[in-house]
């Protein structure tokens, strides 16, 4: 049985459980939330609201990671990438995991009280999707779609926190977020294909089989199309279009690299991480595009 390293303190193990030691996964959820708040506020969002969104995404994504690890604590030891997670390695008990997850959810709920009633209702609606995503891997052939819908709530929540409603451009941004998430999370899932196949866990990387790279290309192309629709609907300036062109170039390069069958497993994580930088580049373009 795997155990917690003697040199690691309990609080560091808890941070690993929340995945706060791996900022890419936290930032990539924060990005679409920031897209939405910046666009809804036309480039000048209230600073207190940005603080709520940043802290809220940290708490929510942390809670989601704990829930995922509770569901998968007997599966993760069979996967090379996840075998040393705190619950999989028994470095933390199930009771501790439940307690940490509840604290994270309560922190997110406390922050949600800052928001208007409609936005608070959207926060509540997102909770079942977050909690059930790990189950989707067992029964649904494309569980990444469930994760993408959960990610999409970040757009709806952040946008409505500014305006109190949802507008046509909101849904284009939601579509971009769902398709982008399908793209980068399918890349992430490609590193686990052999382990998932042996265990019997579903993933989009397995579902699309030999056409998985083509599917990722379609997801990224759809992301570009939806973001272009946002730019047109909101009359964004040239800086947004420059950022979108650069993002398109980055995603094209990623698809080209994925066509090589001899990629080592760590390469998929690197490609996933690059999407964080692409997301922040688009955020910069959106911000400047609202001003110019």
């Amino acid at each position: 049985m795997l155990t917690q390293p003697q040199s690691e303190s309990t609080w560091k193990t808890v941070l690993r459980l929340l995945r706060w030691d791996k900022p890419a996964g936290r930032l990539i959820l924060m990005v679409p939330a920031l897209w939405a708040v910046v666009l809804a506020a036309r480039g000048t969002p209230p600073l207190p609201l940005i603080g709520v969104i940043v802290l809220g995404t940290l708490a929510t994504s942390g809670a989601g990671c704990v829930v995922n690890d509770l569901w998968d604590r007997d599966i993760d030891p069979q996967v090379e990438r996840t075998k040393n997670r705190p619950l999989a390695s028994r470095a933390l008990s199930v009771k501790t995991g439940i307690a940490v997850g509840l604290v994270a959810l309560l922190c997110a709920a406390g922050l949600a009280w800052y928001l208007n009633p409609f936005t608070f209702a959207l926060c509540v609606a997102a909770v079942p999707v977050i909690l059930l995503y790990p189950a989707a891997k067992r029964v649904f052939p494309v569980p990444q779609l469930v994760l993408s819908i959960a990610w999409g709530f970040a757009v709806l929540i952040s946008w409505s926190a500014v305006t109190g409603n949802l507008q046509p451009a909101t849904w284009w941004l939601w579509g971009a977020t769902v398709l982008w998430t399908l793209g980068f999370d399918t890349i992430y899932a490609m590193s686990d294909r052999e382990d998932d196949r042996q265990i019997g866990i579903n993933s989009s990387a397995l579902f699309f089989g030999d056409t998985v790279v083509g599917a990722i290309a379609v997801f990224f192309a759809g992301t570009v199309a939806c973001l272009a629709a946002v730019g047109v609907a909101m009359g964004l300036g040239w800086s947004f279009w420059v950022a979108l062109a650069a993002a398109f170039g980055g995603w094209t390069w990623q698809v080209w690299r994925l066509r090589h069958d001899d990629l080592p497993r760590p390469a998929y994580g690197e490609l996933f991480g690059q999407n964080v930088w692409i997301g922040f580049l688009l955020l910069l373009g959106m911000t400047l595009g609202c001003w110019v």
Side-chain angles (χ1 to χ4, degrees):
M1 180 183 295
L2 297 171
T3 58
Q4 177 183 354
Q6 292 298 316
S7 59
E8 184 175 68
S9 61
T10 300
W11 71 269
K12 287 186 177 179
T13 310
V14 170
L15 289 180
R16 285 201 298 115
L17 177 63
L18 293 164
R19 304 272 217 287
W20 287 354
D21 62 319
K22 296 182 177 180
R26 314 292 70 76
L27 292 173
I28 211 164
L29 172 61
M30 196 179 298
V31 164
L34 293 175
W35 287 352
V37 73
V38 164
L39 289 173
R42 300 297 305 186
T44 55
L47 289 179
L49 180 57
I50 292 178
V52 169
I53 289 172
V54 168
L55 293 175
T57 54
L58 288 174
T60 304
S61 64
C65 290
V66 175
V67 171
N68 182 80
D69 287 6
L70 285 167
W71 275 93
D72 292 351
R73 63 187 183 276
D74 295 325
I75 293 175
D76 282 343
Q78 304 174 58
V79 179
E80 181 65 28
R81 182 176 58 84
T82 62
K83 65 182 182 181
N84 289 319
R85 286 177 174 173
L87 295 178
S89 65
R90 305 318 192 241
L92 293 176
S93 67
V94 172
K95 289 183 179 179
T96 300
I98 292 173
V100 172
L102 286 174
V103 169
L105 281 173
L106 287 172
C107 288
L111 290 165
W113 281 109
Y114 172 83
L115 307 173
N116 63 66
F118 177 59
T119 304
F120 183 83
L122 286 171
C123 293
V124 174
V127 173
V129 183
I130 295 170
L131 296 181
L132 292 176
Y133 160 66
K137 291 184 286 186
R138 293 157 169 81
V139 298
F140 187 58
V142 190
Q144 278 70 21
L145 178 58
V146 180
L147 178 68
S148 299
I149 293 171
W151 239 252
F153 270 101
V155 168
L156 305 182
I157 290 167
S158 297
W159 192 295
S160 64
V162 175
T163 64
N165 57 44
L166 302 176
Q167 301 162 5
T170 318
W171 292 107
W172 283 117
L173 190 64
W174 178 86
T177 299
V178 169
L179 289 169
W180 181 45
T181 307
L182 274 169
F184 69 64
D185 208 54
T186 298
I187 292 174
Y188 200 62
M190 290 177 73
S191 65
D192 295 335
R193 281 177 292 187
E194 295 307 316
D195 292 328
D196 289 346
R197 186 180 288 113
Q198 291 179 10
I199 299 169
I201 294 296
N202 296 314
S203 81
S204 54
L206 292 177
F207 177 79
F208 291 109
D210 294 338
T211 64
V212 64
V213 178
I216 292 168
V218 170
F219 296 147
F220 285 155
T223 304
V224 172
C226 288
L227 288 173
V230 173
V232 171
M234 300 198 66
L236 298 179
W238 62 268
S239 58
F240 167 74
W241 299 102
V242 170
L244 184 59
F248 176 75
W251 288 323
T252 300
W253 180 83
Q254 289 194 342
V255 169
W256 175 82
R257 191 172 181 207
L258 287 168
R259 294 178 64 86
H260 295 78
D261 295 330
D262 58 345
L263 283 181
R265 280 193 176 190
Y268 298 106
E270 292 171 5
L271 291 172
F272 168 84
Q274 289 168 9
N275 276 277
V276 176
W277 297 107
I278 292 173
F280 276 106
L281 174 64
L282 285 165
L283 176 63
L284 177 62
M286 290 172 183
T287 304
L288 295 177
C290 288
W291 294 347
V292 180

